[in-house]
Amino acid sequence: MLTKTDLQLIGSVVDEKLDIKLAPIKKDLTDVKKRVRKIEKTVDLITKNYDEGDTKLSRRVTKIEEHLQI
């Protein structure tokens, strides 16, 4: 029967092996996270600019409609 110490040693060996196997995946994951953050910033910027442009256009159309009494 395995003792608690034996199980801890087995666990540490398994953890070490997993860390070795997962190291490249962790590196790729950090790269993906950076790219996603960059995309999110870009989307936020585009959305902000689109909203501002839409608002300005809406004001212009409203002024034109008022001027033409439409």
Side-chain angles (χ1 to χ4, degrees):
M1 181 142 184
L2 296 173
T3 64
K4 186 175 182 178
T5 308
D6 294 337
L7 292 174
Q8 287 175 344
L9 289 173
I10 292 170
S12 65
V13 170
V14 169
D15 288 343
E16 184 180 318
K17 291 288 185 181
L18 281 175
D19 285 342
I20 291 169
K21 295 280 185 181
L22 294 178
I25 295 171
K26 287 180 182 178
K27 184 179 182 288
D28 290 343
L29 186 60
T30 56
D31 292 341
V32 170
K33 284 181 180 180
K34 287 178 185 177
R35 290 178 184 179
V36 167
R37 277 191 225 116
K38 186 174 182 179
I39 291 170
E40 286 175 342
K41 288 178 184 178
T42 304
V43 168
D44 289 343
L45 183 63
I46 290 170
T47 304
K48 180 181 175 186
N49 287 338
Y50 177 76
D51 288 344
E52 287 177 4
D54 190 39
T55 303
K56 289 178 183 177
L57 181 62
S58 175
R59 285 188 215 142
R60 289 177 62 195
V61 168
T62 303
K63 287 180 182 179
I64 291 170
E65 288 175 346
E66 288 175 358
H67 181 71
L68 297 175
Q69 296 176 351
I70 297 178

Short mmCIF file of all heavy atoms in Angstrom, two decimals:
data_model
loop_
_atom_site.label_atom_id
_atom_site.label_comp_id
_atom_site.label_asym_id
_atom_site.label_seq_id
_atom_site.Cartn_x
_atom_site.Cartn_y
_atom_site.Cartn_z
N MET A 1 0.85 -1.18 0.00
CA MET A 1 0.00 0.00 0.00
C MET A 1 0.90 1.24 0.00
O MET A 1 1.94 1.28 0.62
CB MET A 1 -0.87 -0.02 1.25
CG MET A 1 -1.78 1.13 1.34
SD MET A 1 -3.33 0.54 2.01
CE MET A 1 -4.24 2.00 1.91
N LEU A 2 0.43 2.25 -0.69
CA LEU A 2 1.20 3.49 -0.82
C LEU A 2 0.96 4.39 0.39
O LEU A 2 -0.16 4.55 0.86
CB LEU A 2 0.80 4.23 -2.09
CG LEU A 2 1.11 3.51 -3.41
CD1 LEU A 2 0.49 4.28 -4.56
CD2 LEU A 2 2.60 3.36 -3.61
N THR A 3 2.04 4.99 0.83
CA THR A 3 1.93 5.91 1.95
C THR A 3 1.68 7.31 1.42
O THR A 3 1.75 7.57 0.22
CB THR A 3 3.22 5.90 2.80
OG1 THR A 3 4.29 6.38 1.98
CG2 THR A 3 3.53 4.51 3.31
N LYS A 4 1.40 8.21 2.35
CA LYS A 4 1.14 9.59 1.98
C LYS A 4 2.36 10.20 1.30
O LYS A 4 2.25 10.94 0.31
CB LYS A 4 0.76 10.40 3.23
CG LYS A 4 0.34 11.80 2.94
CD LYS A 4 -0.13 12.50 4.20
CE LYS A 4 -0.60 13.89 3.89
NZ LYS A 4 -1.09 14.59 5.08
N THR A 5 3.54 9.89 1.78
CA THR A 5 4.79 10.39 1.20
C THR A 5 4.97 9.89 -0.23
O THR A 5 5.36 10.65 -1.11
CB THR A 5 5.99 9.95 2.06
OG1 THR A 5 5.75 10.32 3.42
CG2 THR A 5 7.26 10.60 1.59
N ASP A 6 4.65 8.59 -0.44
CA ASP A 6 4.75 8.03 -1.78
C ASP A 6 3.81 8.75 -2.75
O ASP A 6 4.19 9.08 -3.88
CB ASP A 6 4.42 6.53 -1.77
CG ASP A 6 5.43 5.70 -1.00
OD1 ASP A 6 6.58 6.16 -0.86
OD2 ASP A 6 5.07 4.59 -0.56
N LEU A 7 2.60 8.98 -2.28
CA LEU A 7 1.62 9.67 -3.13
C LEU A 7 2.07 11.11 -3.43
O LEU A 7 1.89 11.60 -4.54
CB LEU A 7 0.25 9.67 -2.46
CG LEU A 7 -0.43 8.30 -2.35
CD1 LEU A 7 -1.71 8.41 -1.54
CD2 LEU A 7 -0.71 7.72 -3.72
N GLN A 8 2.67 11.78 -2.46
CA GLN A 8 3.16 13.13 -2.68
C GLN A 8 4.31 13.14 -3.69
O GLN A 8 4.38 14.02 -4.55
CB GLN A 8 3.61 13.76 -1.36
CG GLN A 8 2.45 14.12 -0.45
CD GLN A 8 2.92 14.63 0.91
OE1 GLN A 8 4.07 14.45 1.28
NE2 GLN A 8 2.00 15.26 1.63
N LEU A 9 5.19 12.16 -3.60
CA LEU A 9 6.28 12.06 -4.56
C LEU A 9 5.76 11.79 -5.97
O LEU A 9 6.22 12.38 -6.94
CB LEU A 9 7.26 10.95 -4.15
CG LEU A 9 8.12 11.25 -2.92
CD1 LEU A 9 8.92 10.00 -2.53
CD2 LEU A 9 9.06 12.40 -3.21
N ILE A 10 4.79 10.89 -6.07
CA ILE A 10 4.18 10.61 -7.38
C ILE A 10 3.52 11.86 -7.92
O ILE A 10 3.66 12.21 -9.10
CB ILE A 10 3.17 9.45 -7.27
CG1 ILE A 10 3.90 8.14 -6.96
CG2 ILE A 10 2.35 9.32 -8.55
CD1 ILE A 10 2.98 6.98 -6.61
N GLY A 11 2.82 12.58 -7.06
CA GLY A 11 2.16 13.82 -7.47
C GLY A 11 3.14 14.86 -7.95
O GLY A 11 2.90 15.55 -8.95
N SER A 12 4.27 14.99 -7.25
CA SER A 12 5.27 15.98 -7.67
C SER A 12 5.89 15.61 -9.01
O SER A 12 6.16 16.48 -9.84
CB SER A 12 6.34 16.14 -6.60
OG SER A 12 7.08 14.95 -6.45
N VAL A 13 6.10 14.30 -9.25
CA VAL A 13 6.64 13.86 -10.54
C VAL A 13 5.64 14.14 -11.66
O VAL A 13 6.00 14.64 -12.73
CB VAL A 13 7.01 12.36 -10.49
CG1 VAL A 13 7.33 11.84 -11.89
CG2 VAL A 13 8.18 12.12 -9.56
N VAL A 14 4.38 13.86 -11.39
CA VAL A 14 3.33 14.12 -12.39
C VAL A 14 3.24 15.62 -12.66
O VAL A 14 3.14 16.04 -13.83
CB VAL A 14 1.97 13.54 -11.91
CG1 VAL A 14 0.84 14.03 -12.79
CG2 VAL A 14 2.02 12.03 -11.88
N ASP A 15 3.27 16.44 -11.63
CA ASP A 15 3.22 17.89 -11.80
C ASP A 15 4.40 18.39 -12.64
O ASP A 15 4.24 19.25 -13.51
CB ASP A 15 3.21 18.60 -10.45
CG ASP A 15 1.90 18.43 -9.70
OD1 ASP A 15 0.90 18.06 -10.34
OD2 ASP A 15 1.89 18.67 -8.47
N GLU A 16 5.57 17.86 -12.36
CA GLU A 16 6.76 18.25 -13.11
C GLU A 16 6.63 17.88 -14.59
O GLU A 16 6.93 18.69 -15.47
CB GLU A 16 8.00 17.56 -12.52
CG GLU A 16 9.30 17.97 -13.15
CD GLU A 16 10.49 17.26 -12.51
OE1 GLU A 16 10.52 17.15 -11.28
OE2 GLU A 16 11.37 16.83 -13.28
N LYS A 17 6.14 16.69 -14.86
CA LYS A 17 5.95 16.27 -16.25
C LYS A 17 4.91 17.15 -16.95
O LYS A 17 5.08 17.53 -18.11
CB LYS A 17 5.50 14.80 -16.31
CG LYS A 17 6.55 13.82 -15.90
CD LYS A 17 7.63 13.71 -16.94
CE LYS A 17 8.61 12.62 -16.56
NZ LYS A 17 9.68 12.49 -17.51
N LEU A 18 3.83 17.46 -16.24
CA LEU A 18 2.80 18.31 -16.82
C LEU A 18 3.34 19.70 -17.12
O LEU A 18 3.03 20.28 -18.17
CB LEU A 18 1.59 18.41 -15.89
CG LEU A 18 0.64 17.23 -15.90
CD1 LEU A 18 -0.44 17.41 -14.85
CD2 LEU A 18 0.01 17.05 -17.26
N ASP A 19 4.13 20.24 -16.20
CA ASP A 19 4.70 21.57 -16.44
C ASP A 19 5.57 21.57 -17.69
O ASP A 19 5.55 22.52 -18.46
CB ASP A 19 5.52 22.02 -15.22
CG ASP A 19 4.64 22.44 -14.05
OD1 ASP A 19 3.44 22.71 -14.29
OD2 ASP A 19 5.15 22.50 -12.92
N ILE A 20 6.34 20.51 -17.86
CA ILE A 20 7.21 20.42 -19.05
C ILE A 20 6.37 20.35 -20.31
O ILE A 20 6.66 21.00 -21.32
CB ILE A 20 8.15 19.20 -18.92
CG1 ILE A 20 9.17 19.43 -17.82
CG2 ILE A 20 8.86 18.92 -20.23
CD1 ILE A 20 9.96 18.20 -17.46
N LYS A 21 5.31 19.56 -20.28
CA LYS A 21 4.45 19.40 -21.46
C LYS A 21 3.64 20.67 -21.74
O LYS A 21 3.36 20.99 -22.90
CB LYS A 21 3.48 18.23 -21.27
CG LYS A 21 4.13 16.89 -21.18
CD LYS A 21 4.49 16.37 -22.53
CE LYS A 21 5.04 14.94 -22.39
NZ LYS A 21 5.43 14.41 -23.65
N LEU A 22 3.24 21.37 -20.68
CA LEU A 22 2.37 22.53 -20.85
C LEU A 22 3.13 23.84 -21.09
O LEU A 22 2.52 24.85 -21.43
CB LEU A 22 1.47 22.70 -19.63
CG LEU A 22 0.44 21.58 -19.42
CD1 LEU A 22 -0.34 21.85 -18.15
CD2 LEU A 22 -0.48 21.45 -20.60
N ALA A 23 4.44 23.84 -20.93
CA ALA A 23 5.22 25.07 -21.09
C ALA A 23 5.02 25.72 -22.46
O ALA A 23 4.76 26.94 -22.54
CB ALA A 23 6.70 24.80 -20.83
N PRO A 24 5.10 24.97 -23.58
CA PRO A 24 4.87 25.62 -24.88
C PRO A 24 3.44 26.15 -25.04
O PRO A 24 3.22 27.21 -25.64
CB PRO A 24 5.13 24.52 -25.91
CG PRO A 24 5.83 23.43 -25.18
CD PRO A 24 5.51 23.59 -23.74
N ILE A 25 2.50 25.44 -24.46
CA ILE A 25 1.10 25.87 -24.55
C ILE A 25 0.90 27.16 -23.76
O ILE A 25 0.20 28.07 -24.21
CB ILE A 25 0.16 24.75 -24.05
CG1 ILE A 25 0.27 23.55 -24.97
CG2 ILE A 25 -1.27 25.24 -23.96
CD1 ILE A 25 -0.43 22.31 -24.49
N LYS A 26 1.52 27.25 -22.59
CA LYS A 26 1.41 28.47 -21.79
C LYS A 26 2.00 29.66 -22.53
O LYS A 26 1.45 30.75 -22.50
CB LYS A 26 2.11 28.28 -20.45
CG LYS A 26 1.36 27.36 -19.50
CD LYS A 26 2.11 27.21 -18.19
CE LYS A 26 1.39 26.25 -17.26
NZ LYS A 26 2.12 26.05 -16.00
N LYS A 27 3.13 29.45 -23.21
CA LYS A 27 3.76 30.52 -23.97
C LYS A 27 2.85 30.98 -25.10
O LYS A 27 2.65 32.18 -25.31
CB LYS A 27 5.10 30.06 -24.54
CG LYS A 27 5.86 31.14 -25.27
CD LYS A 27 7.18 30.60 -25.79
CE LYS A 27 7.98 31.68 -26.49
NZ LYS A 27 7.45 32.07 -27.76
N ASP A 28 2.27 30.02 -25.82
CA ASP A 28 1.35 30.37 -26.89
C ASP A 28 0.12 31.09 -26.34
O ASP A 28 -0.40 32.01 -26.97
CB ASP A 28 0.91 29.11 -27.65
CG ASP A 28 2.03 28.51 -28.48
OD1 ASP A 28 3.04 29.21 -28.73
OD2 ASP A 28 1.90 27.33 -28.88
N LEU A 29 -0.33 30.67 -25.19
CA LEU A 29 -1.51 31.28 -24.58
C LEU A 29 -1.26 32.74 -24.23
O LEU A 29 -2.14 33.59 -24.43
CB LEU A 29 -1.94 30.49 -23.34
CG LEU A 29 -3.23 30.92 -22.67
CD1 LEU A 29 -4.40 30.78 -23.65
CD2 LEU A 29 -3.48 30.08 -21.44
N THR A 30 -0.07 33.04 -23.73
CA THR A 30 0.23 34.44 -23.42
C THR A 30 0.28 35.27 -24.69
O THR A 30 -0.19 36.42 -24.70
CB THR A 30 1.56 34.57 -22.65
OG1 THR A 30 2.61 33.97 -23.41
CG2 THR A 30 1.49 33.92 -21.29
N ASP A 31 0.80 34.72 -25.77
CA ASP A 31 0.81 35.43 -27.05
C ASP A 31 -0.61 35.69 -27.54
O ASP A 31 -0.94 36.78 -28.01
CB ASP A 31 1.57 34.64 -28.12
CG ASP A 31 3.07 34.57 -27.84
OD1 ASP A 31 3.57 35.40 -27.05
OD2 ASP A 31 3.72 33.68 -28.40
N VAL A 32 -1.47 34.70 -27.40
CA VAL A 32 -2.87 34.83 -27.83
C VAL A 32 -3.56 35.89 -26.98
O VAL A 32 -4.33 36.72 -27.50
CB VAL A 32 -3.60 33.48 -27.74
CG1 VAL A 32 -5.09 33.65 -27.94
CG2 VAL A 32 -3.04 32.50 -28.77
N LYS A 33 -3.30 35.91 -25.68
CA LYS A 33 -3.92 36.91 -24.81
C LYS A 33 -3.51 38.32 -25.22
O LYS A 33 -4.34 39.23 -25.24
CB LYS A 33 -3.53 36.65 -23.35
CG LYS A 33 -4.25 35.49 -22.72
CD LYS A 33 -3.82 35.32 -21.26
CE LYS A 33 -4.52 34.16 -20.61
NZ LYS A 33 -4.11 33.98 -19.21
N LYS A 34 -2.23 38.50 -25.55
CA LYS A 34 -1.76 39.82 -25.99
C LYS A 34 -2.47 40.24 -27.26
O LYS A 34 -2.89 41.40 -27.41
CB LYS A 34 -0.25 39.80 -26.22
CG LYS A 34 0.57 39.73 -24.96
CD LYS A 34 2.05 39.68 -25.27
CE LYS A 34 2.88 39.49 -24.02
NZ LYS A 34 4.32 39.36 -24.32
N ARG A 35 -2.59 39.31 -28.20
CA ARG A 35 -3.25 39.64 -29.46
C ARG A 35 -4.73 39.97 -29.25
O ARG A 35 -5.28 40.88 -29.88
CB ARG A 35 -3.11 38.49 -30.44
CG ARG A 35 -1.70 38.32 -30.94
CD ARG A 35 -1.56 37.15 -31.87
NE ARG A 35 -0.17 36.96 -32.26
CZ ARG A 35 0.24 36.00 -33.04
NH1 ARG A 35 -0.62 35.13 -33.53
NH2 ARG A 35 1.52 35.90 -33.35
N VAL A 36 -5.38 39.23 -28.37
CA VAL A 36 -6.80 39.49 -28.10
C VAL A 36 -6.97 40.86 -27.47
O VAL A 36 -7.89 41.61 -27.83
CB VAL A 36 -7.39 38.38 -27.19
CG1 VAL A 36 -8.74 38.78 -26.65
CG2 VAL A 36 -7.50 37.08 -27.96
N ARG A 37 -6.08 41.22 -26.54
CA ARG A 37 -6.15 42.56 -25.94
C ARG A 37 -5.99 43.64 -26.99
O ARG A 37 -6.70 44.65 -26.98
CB ARG A 37 -5.06 42.71 -24.87
CG ARG A 37 -5.47 42.13 -23.54
CD ARG A 37 -4.48 42.52 -22.43
NE ARG A 37 -4.21 41.33 -21.66
CZ ARG A 37 -3.04 40.71 -21.56
NH1 ARG A 37 -1.98 41.21 -22.15
NH2 ARG A 37 -2.89 39.62 -20.85
N LYS A 38 -5.06 43.42 -27.92
CA LYS A 38 -4.84 44.40 -28.99
C LYS A 38 -6.08 44.51 -29.87
O LYS A 38 -6.49 45.62 -30.24
CB LYS A 38 -3.63 44.00 -29.82
CG LYS A 38 -3.23 45.01 -30.84
CD LYS A 38 -1.94 44.63 -31.55
CE LYS A 38 -1.52 45.68 -32.54
NZ LYS A 38 -0.26 45.33 -33.21
N ILE A 39 -6.69 43.40 -30.20
CA ILE A 39 -7.91 43.40 -31.01
C ILE A 39 -9.03 44.10 -30.27
O ILE A 39 -9.78 44.89 -30.86
CB ILE A 39 -8.30 41.96 -31.40
CG1 ILE A 39 -7.29 41.39 -32.39
CG2 ILE A 39 -9.71 41.92 -31.98
CD1 ILE A 39 -7.45 39.91 -32.65
N GLU A 40 -9.17 43.84 -28.97
CA GLU A 40 -10.21 44.50 -28.18
C GLU A 40 -10.03 46.01 -28.18
O GLU A 40 -11.01 46.76 -28.32
CB GLU A 40 -10.21 43.98 -26.75
CG GLU A 40 -10.76 42.58 -26.60
CD GLU A 40 -10.65 42.05 -25.18
OE1 GLU A 40 -9.85 42.59 -24.38
OE2 GLU A 40 -11.35 41.08 -24.88
N LYS A 41 -8.78 46.47 -28.03
CA LYS A 41 -8.53 47.90 -28.06
C LYS A 41 -8.89 48.50 -29.41
O LYS A 41 -9.49 49.58 -29.49
CB LYS A 41 -7.05 48.18 -27.75
CG LYS A 41 -6.68 47.95 -26.31
CD LYS A 41 -5.21 48.20 -26.08
CE LYS A 41 -4.79 47.88 -24.66
NZ LYS A 41 -3.34 48.08 -24.45
N THR A 42 -8.55 47.79 -30.48
CA THR A 42 -8.86 48.26 -31.82
C THR A 42 -10.37 48.34 -32.03
O THR A 42 -10.88 49.34 -32.56
CB THR A 42 -8.23 47.33 -32.87
OG1 THR A 42 -6.83 47.24 -32.64
CG2 THR A 42 -8.50 47.83 -34.28
N VAL A 43 -11.08 47.32 -31.60
CA VAL A 43 -12.54 47.31 -31.75
C VAL A 43 -13.16 48.45 -30.94
O VAL A 43 -14.07 49.13 -31.41
CB VAL A 43 -13.12 45.94 -31.33
CG1 VAL A 43 -14.63 46.00 -31.18
CG2 VAL A 43 -12.74 44.88 -32.33
N ASP A 44 -12.66 48.67 -29.72
CA ASP A 44 -13.18 49.77 -28.91
C ASP A 44 -12.96 51.11 -29.59
O ASP A 44 -13.85 51.97 -29.60
CB ASP A 44 -12.53 49.78 -27.53
CG ASP A 44 -12.98 48.62 -26.65
OD1 ASP A 44 -14.02 48.00 -26.96
OD2 ASP A 44 -12.29 48.34 -25.66
N LEU A 45 -11.78 51.28 -30.16
CA LEU A 45 -11.46 52.53 -30.85
C LEU A 45 -12.36 52.72 -32.08
O LEU A 45 -12.90 53.81 -32.29
CB LEU A 45 -10.00 52.55 -31.26
CG LEU A 45 -9.48 53.80 -31.94
CD1 LEU A 45 -9.58 54.99 -30.99
CD2 LEU A 45 -8.05 53.60 -32.38
N ILE A 46 -12.54 51.67 -32.85
CA ILE A 46 -13.40 51.75 -34.04
C ILE A 46 -14.84 52.07 -33.64
O ILE A 46 -15.50 52.91 -34.25
CB ILE A 46 -13.33 50.44 -34.85
CG1 ILE A 46 -11.96 50.31 -35.51
CG2 ILE A 46 -14.44 50.37 -35.89
CD1 ILE A 46 -11.70 48.96 -36.14
N THR A 47 -15.31 51.42 -32.59
CA THR A 47 -16.68 51.65 -32.12
C THR A 47 -16.85 53.09 -31.66
O THR A 47 -17.86 53.73 -31.98
CB THR A 47 -17.01 50.69 -30.96
OG1 THR A 47 -16.81 49.36 -31.39
CG2 THR A 47 -18.43 50.86 -30.50
N LYS A 48 -15.87 53.60 -30.93
CA LYS A 48 -15.95 54.97 -30.45
C LYS A 48 -15.99 55.95 -31.62
O LYS A 48 -16.82 56.86 -31.66
CB LYS A 48 -14.75 55.28 -29.56
CG LYS A 48 -14.74 56.68 -29.01
CD LYS A 48 -13.51 56.93 -28.16
CE LYS A 48 -13.47 58.38 -27.73
NZ LYS A 48 -12.23 58.71 -27.04
N ASN A 49 -15.11 55.74 -32.59
CA ASN A 49 -15.08 56.63 -33.76
C ASN A 49 -16.36 56.54 -34.56
O ASN A 49 -16.89 57.54 -35.04
CB ASN A 49 -13.88 56.31 -34.65
CG ASN A 49 -12.57 56.77 -34.06
OD1 ASN A 49 -12.55 57.65 -33.22
ND2 ASN A 49 -11.49 56.16 -34.49
N TYR A 50 -16.89 55.33 -34.72
CA TYR A 50 -18.13 55.15 -35.46
C TYR A 50 -19.28 55.86 -34.75
O TYR A 50 -20.09 56.53 -35.38
CB TYR A 50 -18.44 53.66 -35.62
CG TYR A 50 -19.73 53.39 -36.31
CD1 TYR A 50 -19.86 53.53 -37.68
CD2 TYR A 50 -20.86 53.02 -35.59
CE1 TYR A 50 -21.05 53.28 -38.32
CE2 TYR A 50 -22.06 52.76 -36.22
CZ TYR A 50 -22.16 52.90 -37.58
OH TYR A 50 -23.34 52.66 -38.21
N ASP A 51 -19.34 55.71 -33.43
CA ASP A 51 -20.41 56.35 -32.67
C ASP A 51 -20.32 57.87 -32.77
O ASP A 51 -21.34 58.55 -32.93
CB ASP A 51 -20.35 55.93 -31.20
CG ASP A 51 -20.81 54.50 -30.98
OD1 ASP A 51 -21.45 53.93 -31.90
OD2 ASP A 51 -20.53 53.94 -29.90
N GLU A 52 -19.11 58.40 -32.69
CA GLU A 52 -18.95 59.85 -32.80
C GLU A 52 -19.37 60.34 -34.18
O GLU A 52 -20.07 61.34 -34.31
CB GLU A 52 -17.50 60.25 -32.52
CG GLU A 52 -17.09 60.14 -31.07
CD GLU A 52 -15.63 60.47 -30.84
OE1 GLU A 52 -14.93 60.84 -31.81
OE2 GLU A 52 -15.18 60.34 -29.70
N GLY A 53 -18.94 59.62 -35.21
CA GLY A 53 -19.30 60.00 -36.57
C GLY A 53 -20.80 59.92 -36.81
O GLY A 53 -21.40 60.79 -37.45
N ASP A 54 -21.41 58.88 -36.26
CA ASP A 54 -22.86 58.69 -36.41
C ASP A 54 -23.61 59.81 -35.69
O ASP A 54 -24.59 60.34 -36.21
CB ASP A 54 -23.26 57.33 -35.84
CG ASP A 54 -24.68 56.96 -36.17
OD1 ASP A 54 -25.13 57.24 -37.29
OD2 ASP A 54 -25.36 56.39 -35.29
N THR A 55 -23.14 60.19 -34.53
CA THR A 55 -23.78 61.26 -33.77
C THR A 55 -23.66 62.59 -34.52
O THR A 55 -24.64 63.34 -34.61
CB THR A 55 -23.13 61.38 -32.38
OG1 THR A 55 -23.23 60.13 -31.72
CG2 THR A 55 -23.81 62.44 -31.55
N LYS A 56 -22.49 62.88 -35.05
CA LYS A 56 -22.30 64.13 -35.79
C LYS A 56 -23.20 64.17 -37.03
O LYS A 56 -23.81 65.19 -37.34
CB LYS A 56 -20.84 64.29 -36.19
CG LYS A 56 -19.93 64.60 -35.03
CD LYS A 56 -18.48 64.70 -35.48
CE LYS A 56 -17.55 64.93 -34.30
NZ LYS A 56 -16.14 64.96 -34.71
N LEU A 57 -23.27 63.04 -37.73
CA LEU A 57 -24.10 62.97 -38.92
C LEU A 57 -25.57 63.15 -38.56
O LEU A 57 -26.32 63.84 -39.26
CB LEU A 57 -23.89 61.64 -39.64
CG LEU A 57 -24.68 61.44 -40.93
CD1 LEU A 57 -24.28 62.49 -41.96
CD2 LEU A 57 -24.44 60.05 -41.47
N SER A 58 -25.98 62.56 -37.46
CA SER A 58 -27.36 62.68 -37.02
C SER A 58 -27.70 64.14 -36.72
O SER A 58 -28.79 64.63 -37.09
CB SER A 58 -27.59 61.83 -35.78
OG SER A 58 -28.87 62.02 -35.27
N ARG A 59 -26.79 64.86 -36.09
CA ARG A 59 -27.02 66.28 -35.80
C ARG A 59 -27.14 67.08 -37.09
O ARG A 59 -28.02 67.96 -37.21
CB ARG A 59 -25.88 66.83 -34.95
CG ARG A 59 -25.94 66.40 -33.52
CD ARG A 59 -24.90 67.15 -32.69
NE ARG A 59 -24.39 66.26 -31.68
CZ ARG A 59 -23.14 66.19 -31.27
NH1 ARG A 59 -22.24 66.99 -31.78
NH2 ARG A 59 -22.77 65.35 -30.35
N ARG A 60 -26.26 66.77 -38.03
CA ARG A 60 -26.30 67.50 -39.31
C ARG A 60 -27.61 67.26 -40.03
O ARG A 60 -28.22 68.19 -40.58
CB ARG A 60 -25.12 67.08 -40.19
CG ARG A 60 -23.78 67.59 -39.66
CD ARG A 60 -22.63 67.11 -40.51
NE ARG A 60 -22.76 67.63 -41.87
CZ ARG A 60 -22.07 67.17 -42.90
NH1 ARG A 60 -21.22 66.18 -42.75
NH2 ARG A 60 -22.22 67.69 -44.10
N VAL A 61 -28.05 66.02 -40.06
CA VAL A 61 -29.31 65.69 -40.73
C VAL A 61 -30.47 66.40 -40.04
O VAL A 61 -31.37 66.94 -40.70
CB VAL A 61 -29.52 64.16 -40.76
CG1 VAL A 61 -30.94 63.82 -41.20
CG2 VAL A 61 -28.50 63.50 -41.68
N THR A 62 -30.44 66.41 -38.71
CA THR A 62 -31.51 67.09 -37.97
C THR A 62 -31.55 68.58 -38.32
O THR A 62 -32.62 69.15 -38.53
CB THR A 62 -31.31 66.89 -36.45
OG1 THR A 62 -31.28 65.50 -36.16
CG2 THR A 62 -32.41 67.55 -35.66
N LYS A 63 -30.37 69.21 -38.37
CA LYS A 63 -30.32 70.64 -38.71
C LYS A 63 -30.84 70.88 -40.13
O LYS A 63 -31.57 71.85 -40.37
CB LYS A 63 -28.89 71.16 -38.58
CG LYS A 63 -28.44 71.32 -37.15
CD LYS A 63 -27.02 71.84 -37.09
CE LYS A 63 -26.53 71.94 -35.66
NZ LYS A 63 -25.15 72.44 -35.58
N ILE A 64 -30.47 70.02 -41.05
CA ILE A 64 -30.93 70.17 -42.43
C ILE A 64 -32.44 70.00 -42.51
O ILE A 64 -33.14 70.76 -43.18
CB ILE A 64 -30.20 69.17 -43.36
CG1 ILE A 64 -28.73 69.55 -43.49
CG2 ILE A 64 -30.88 69.11 -44.74
CD1 ILE A 64 -27.89 68.50 -44.18
N GLU A 65 -32.96 69.00 -41.79
CA GLU A 65 -34.41 68.78 -41.78
C GLU A 65 -35.14 69.97 -41.18
O GLU A 65 -36.20 70.37 -41.69
CB GLU A 65 -34.74 67.50 -41.00
CG GLU A 65 -34.37 66.23 -41.72
CD GLU A 65 -34.59 64.97 -40.88
OE1 GLU A 65 -34.80 65.08 -39.65
OE2 GLU A 65 -34.55 63.90 -41.48
N GLU A 66 -34.60 70.52 -40.12
CA GLU A 66 -35.23 71.70 -39.52
C GLU A 66 -35.19 72.88 -40.47
O GLU A 66 -36.17 73.63 -40.59
CB GLU A 66 -34.53 72.07 -38.21
CG GLU A 66 -34.81 71.11 -37.08
CD GLU A 66 -33.99 71.44 -35.82
OE1 GLU A 66 -33.17 72.40 -35.86
OE2 GLU A 66 -34.14 70.70 -34.85
N HIS A 67 -34.07 73.04 -41.15
CA HIS A 67 -33.94 74.15 -42.10
C HIS A 67 -34.92 74.00 -43.26
O HIS A 67 -35.50 74.99 -43.71
CB HIS A 67 -32.51 74.24 -42.61
CG HIS A 67 -32.28 75.36 -43.57
ND1 HIS A 67 -32.27 76.68 -43.17
CD2 HIS A 67 -32.07 75.36 -44.91
CE1 HIS A 67 -32.07 77.44 -44.22
NE2 HIS A 67 -31.93 76.65 -45.29
N LEU A 68 -35.07 72.77 -43.73
CA LEU A 68 -35.98 72.54 -44.85
C LEU A 68 -37.42 72.32 -44.40
O LEU A 68 -38.30 72.13 -45.22
CB LEU A 68 -35.52 71.31 -45.66
CG LEU A 68 -34.14 71.43 -46.34
CD1 LEU A 68 -33.78 70.11 -47.00
CD2 LEU A 68 -34.17 72.55 -47.37
N GLN A 69 -37.62 72.32 -43.09
CA GLN A 69 -38.94 72.11 -42.48
C GLN A 69 -39.56 70.79 -42.94
O GLN A 69 -40.71 70.73 -43.38
CB GLN A 69 -39.87 73.28 -42.78
CG GLN A 69 -39.35 74.58 -42.17
CD GLN A 69 -40.22 75.77 -42.54
OE1 GLN A 69 -41.10 75.69 -43.39
NE2 GLN A 69 -39.94 76.89 -41.91
N ILE A 70 -38.76 69.75 -42.83
CA ILE A 70 -39.23 68.41 -43.21
C ILE A 70 -39.68 67.69 -41.96
O ILE A 70 -39.15 67.72 -40.94
CB ILE A 70 -38.12 67.61 -43.90
CG1 ILE A 70 -37.73 68.29 -45.19
CG2 ILE A 70 -38.57 66.18 -44.15
CD1 ILE A 70 -36.60 67.61 -45.93
#
